[in-house]
Amino acid sequence: MPTADESRCNGCKLCIKSCPICHASSVSISSKNIPLAFAAVASDYDIRKTASSGGVFPLLTRHTISLGGTVYGAQFDEHFMVSHARCETWQECQALFGSKYTQSDLGRSYANIKSDLGSGRAVLFAGTPCQVAGLHAYLGINHKLKEKLFCCDFLCHGVPSGRTWQRYLQWREKEADSPASDISFRSKQNGWKNYSILINFQNEQQYLCSYKKDPFLRIFLADVSLRECCYNCRFRSLNHLADLTLADFWGIWKIYPDLDDDNGASLVLCHTDKGKELMHNLGGDCELRQVELKPALKYNRGALQKLSRPWGRTSFFDDLDALPIDKLFQWYRHKSFWRNILCRGDEMTKKLRHRSILKS
Ligand SMILES: Cc1cc2nc3c(=O)[nH]c(=O)nc-3n(C[C@H](O)[C@H](O)[C@H](O)COP(=O)(O)OP(=O)(O)OC[C@H]3O[C@@H](n4cnc5c(N)ncnc54)[C@H](O)[C@@H]3O)c2cc1C
């Protein structure tokens, strides 16, 4: 969660005024915006392999670097927590590819982007819809400054908290008796549709598990481990501030079966002329086909509807540091009427819940 260094705060409240979450009016989005939709698949298989969907983001980074621009996106740090990095070369950009299912710390990205734009460089920023909105609020209405800014976000299911990811990874590392050396949340080893979490450990062990079974991904997809602000997200709609919104093209097998080789396909929503121009520039590097919006979104509707906050969300975070993580994740991934009752929060149900979790 954002915090202010009170010792340096002069009380101007600019941080609150420019926050797209605290102050919806700090950024305005037209609700009349109907984006153009495309199916996109990078022609280079190696590029697609490193990305979560059809590899559009890597192509956008390559294009930006070729213009002499800078790219900002999410990468792992040495402890596999996630933060935004500034990249100037194609080599550096490799670390940005692939979805990371935990909050990315923006650090000084907004200030660095302002400085890059000020010196006339093109900038590609990729992040969650709220991070893109935050950037626009930070830069204000200076259109001249934003001329060479390109933003892409994604249809966002919601973002798991960093604490959940940290606890989960500690558990896996303990099980393997080794620190992790490499992680992918979206390995395509068992196919794109049956994507898996892949953790390589320094002692050469490997953990590979489908999203259907892995406890971290199950809890994420059941909405239990998301950050609090995600349950009240105003960007779960087609109205985004980004030039492009990227997504998995679930359902491509019904619309363009010939584009589905189970190695990933992207759905791209173009919101602005800049977005259309960007996609036009990728023309030679990917298979690009326009699609109708409604059928294209049929299998991704979840990311556009308001999230309801699960009963167990509060108790899950209460229990996170108190109980063995393996039992905790197993218990919360299963929903039932009785489990909901045990998540109510009073001392009596808490005791019963803890007993039930420890016995499971
Ligand atoms: C938390 C999260 C939830 C998502 N939910 C959905 C969904 O419900 N439906 C759907 O269709 N697609 C969703 N996506 C997007 C999807 O997984 C792909 O990232 C997207 O389609 C782009 O894929 P790509 O192949 O073009 O490039 P990729 O190389 O996969 O794109 C990666 C880029 O996405 C950005 N990114 C990755 N992780 C984070 C992060 N934690 N915070 C901020 N930015 C990040 C980065 O800048 C990164 O470099 C989600 C992604 C994330 C990170």
Side-chain angles (χ1 to χ4, degrees), residues 169-282:
L169 184 60
Q170 282 165 353
W171 168 42
R172 285 276 163 240
E173 290 183 328
K174 201 168 159 222
E175 291 271 293
D177 195 21
S178 171
S181 57
D182 186 32
I183 297 179
S184 166
F185 286 96
R186 292 291 302 263
S187 164
K188 296 174 179 174
Q189 273 192 33
N190 293 326
W192 164 60
K193 292 180 207 105
N194 182 28
Y195 66 87
S196 308
I197 183 167
L198 171 67
I199 308 180
N200 286 316
F201 297 93
Q202 286 178 16
N203 64 2
E204 316 238 310
Q205 277 193 57
Q206 189 177 78
Y207 171 77
L208 178 73
C209 189
S210 156
Y211 78 94
K212 294 175 192 156
K213 291 209 173 125
D214 174 73
F216 177 80
L217 293 177
R218 290 310 320 147
I219 295 271
F220 162 41
L221 296 170
D223 308 332
V224 175
S225 58
L226 304 183
R227 301 179 78 230
E228 191 62 57
C229 54
C230 298
Y231 301 104
N232 214 357
C233 176
R234 55 187 279 253
F235 302 103
R236 296 179 75 84
S237 71
L238 287 177
N239 305 312
H240 289 222
L241 275 131
D243 300 296
L244 296 173
T245 295
L246 309 179
D248 287 286
F249 203 142
W250 304 129
I252 185 106
W253 48 90
K254 297 245 159 115
I255 301 172
Y256 290 124
D258 60 309
L259 290 186
D260 177 27
D261 61 0
D262 206 16
N263 285 309
S266 292
L267 171 63
V268 184
L269 305 179
C270 289
H271 302 282
T272 63
D273 289 340
K274 265 192 210 171
K276 282 176 215 159
E277 193 189 314
L278 265 179
M279 288 316 289
H280 178 76
N281 289 331
L282 301 189

Side-chain angles (χ1 to χ4, degrees), residues 278-303:
L278 265 179
M279 288 316 289
H280 178 76
N281 289 331
L282 301 189
D285 294 327
C286 70
E287 182 74 41
L288 193 64
R289 296 188 200 163
Q290 195 166 345
V291 282
E292 274 183 56
L293 200 53
K294 208 172 159 193
L297 290 169
K298 188 171 170 192
Y299 295 91
N300 231 327
R301 271 200 216 116

Side-chain angles (χ1 to χ4, degrees), residues 71-91:
V71 177
Y72 291 77
Q75 71 170 21
F76 287 119
D77 67 15
E78 67 274 29
H79 305 296
F80 290 99
M81 296 307 283
V82 178
S83 57
H84 262 61
R86 173 182 184 274
C87 300
E88 286 187 281
T89 64
W90 171 245
Q91 192 56 34

Side-chain angles (χ1 to χ4, degrees), residues 13 61 67 71 99 127 139 147 153 170 174 201 215 272 320:
K13 297 208 163 64
T61 68
L67 297 177
V71 177
S99 295
L139 295 174
E147 233 164 44
D153 61 11
Q170 282 165 353
K174 201 168 159 222
F201 297 93
T272 63
L320 194 57

